[in-house]
Every structure is written in structure tokens, then in C-alpha cells.
Amino acid sequence: MNVCLGVYECDFCPEDDAPEGNGEVRIPGGPRIAYAAPSLVTHYITAHGYRPPQAFIDAVLAVDLDTWAATRWPDVPFPWVPDDVERLLE
């Protein structure tokens, strides 16, 4: 969401290996609250040990992927999660 015209590289990685991002993700929070993070947030977490604020983590874990996908693509099954995958939050 909110894709930018340019790209940016991870400032912590060597220039030749730095992944690129081009926008941000937005996560719904409580009423009138939305969280935004750079599209490389998962890279920062997994590669550099970044820990987002707990409120952001809670909001990410609370997203109902099936509802989100059904709203965005009503006639398409959720494209990134196979039917037989074990869901950890259920």
C-alpha cells in the first residue's frame, strides 16, 4: 500500500546486498487507528533484529487474512496461504 515512485535500500546492509523497498504497509488498529511501516519492515525484523512497538505487533497478529483477502479479491481464494497450511493463530 502507498507505493512510492522511487525505491530505497536498507541502510544497514552492504550496498551490493541491500534489498529495496518502495512504499509502506498499513495495518488497521483500533477505532480511528492505523499503523504504517516501511515495506522492508519484515527485512528489518528478520535480518537486523528490529522489534516494532507491541501495539503494532498486536495489530498485525489481529488482522483476519481471510476477511482482508475476501474484501480485496472477493472471487479469489486467499492467494498466499495454501488450504492445507497449519495456521498458528487458530
Side-chain angles (χ1 to χ4, degrees):
M1 169 174 283
N2 201 22
V3 176
C4 301
L5 294 177
V7 296
Y8 59 92
E9 295 180 344
C10 174
D11 291 332
F12 302 110
C13 288
E15 190 172 323
D16 294 342
D17 296 327
E20 295 179 339
N22 68 338
E24 65 185 18
V25 296
R26 294 187 182 171
I27 306 297
R32 301 177 52 113
I33 296 174
Y35 299 97
S39 60
L40 288 178
V41 69
T42 54
H43 166 75
Y44 297 137
I45 292 168
T46 58
H48 303 298
Y50 172 68
R51 179 169 163 68
Q54 190 62 47
F56 178 83
I57 295 169
D58 293 343
V60 168
L61 294 175
V63 171
D64 180 339
L65 296 178
D66 292 321
T67 300
W68 176 80
T71 301
R72 188 146 190 190
W73 300 289
D75 299 323
V76 178
F78 193 72
W80 301 287
V81 181
D83 290 337
D84 60 349
V85 73
E86 179 180 339
R87 294 191 182 203
L88 298 176
L89 299 177
E90 291 185 341

